[in-house]
């Protein structure tokens, strides 16, 4: 319901290659770290967004989406569901084209707001799982 194949394919293949990964830090045991590496292998520019603003996988980190000084195509969200809605709202505010909520990140109201704002959105899926499926 929140992740149709057409939207997944569009986000992964034609929405753009600059992905802000919210919740990405230098902690290699966290899921965001591994998913960001997969995104890079598939040609995506990964921009870490985390309060620590760490450089991760060679990408300079920012403390918030609003601090990124260049356009972002997709905002990939690795925060708890309770915190995800404001991130989706900020993604729309900075002009992102799509929002991707990771596995287990679910906020139906944020989904509705984001779609109403004209952005593509996928919820409760992982791009590292979906990219190889594209063939």
């Amino acid at each position: 319901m929140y992740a149709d194949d057409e939207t997944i394919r569009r986000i992964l293949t034609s929405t753009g290659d600059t992905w802000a990964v919210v919740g990405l830090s230098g902690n290699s045991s966290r899921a965001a770290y591994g998913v960001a590496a997969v995104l890079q292998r598939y040609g995506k520019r990964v921009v870490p967004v985390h309060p620590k603003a760490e450089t991760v996988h060679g990408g300079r980190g920012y403390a918030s989406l609003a601090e990124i000084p260049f356009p972002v195509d997709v905002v990939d969200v690795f925060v708890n569901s309770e915190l995800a809605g404001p991130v989706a709202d900020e993604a729309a505010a900075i002009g992102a084209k799509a929002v991707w909520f990771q596995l287990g990140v679910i906020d139906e109201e944020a989904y509705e707001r984001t779609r109403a704002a004209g952005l593509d959105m996928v919820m409760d899926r992982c791009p590292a799982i979906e990219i190889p499926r594209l063939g």
Side-chain angles (χ1 to χ4, degrees):
M1 178 175 177
Y2 296 108
D4 65 272
D5 288 343
E6 180 183 323
T7 302
I8 289 169
R9 180 174 295 280
R10 184 170 49 249
I11 292 172
L12 292 173
T13 62
S14 61
T15 296
D17 290 332
T18 300
W19 285 55
V21 181
V22 179
L24 175 58
S25 71
N27 183 345
S28 62
S29 68
R30 304 288 297 184
Y33 190 90
V35 170
V38 171
L39 289 170
Q40 280 188 321
R41 279 199 302 277
Y42 282 91
K44 306 301 182 189
R45 175 185 184 188
V46 171
V47 182
V49 179
H50 189 280
K52 294 180 183 176
E54 297 173 288
T55 296
V56 183
H57 298 306
R60 176 175 177 231
Y62 297 89
S64 71
L65 290 172
E67 292 180 17
I68 301 173
F70 47 82
V72 169
D73 300 308
V74 182
V75 175
D76 190 4
V77 182
F78 278 93
V79 300
N80 293 332
S81 296
E82 304 80 50
L83 304 173
V87 175
D89 296 338
E90 192 176 357
I94 67 163
K97 299 173 191 164
V99 175
W100 192 299
F101 279 10
Q102 282 293 325
L103 290 171
V105 180
I106 299 170
D107 182 333
E108 294 177 4
E109 291 177 4
Y111 181 89
E112 297 301 329
R113 286 194 311 272
T114 302
R115 297 292 295 131
L119 284 71
D120 275 335
M121 185 162 178
V122 169
M123 189 163 65
D124 194 26
R125 293 300 261 289
C126 179
I129 294 169
E130 301 299 331
I131 288 176
R133 289 184 26 192
L134 294 177

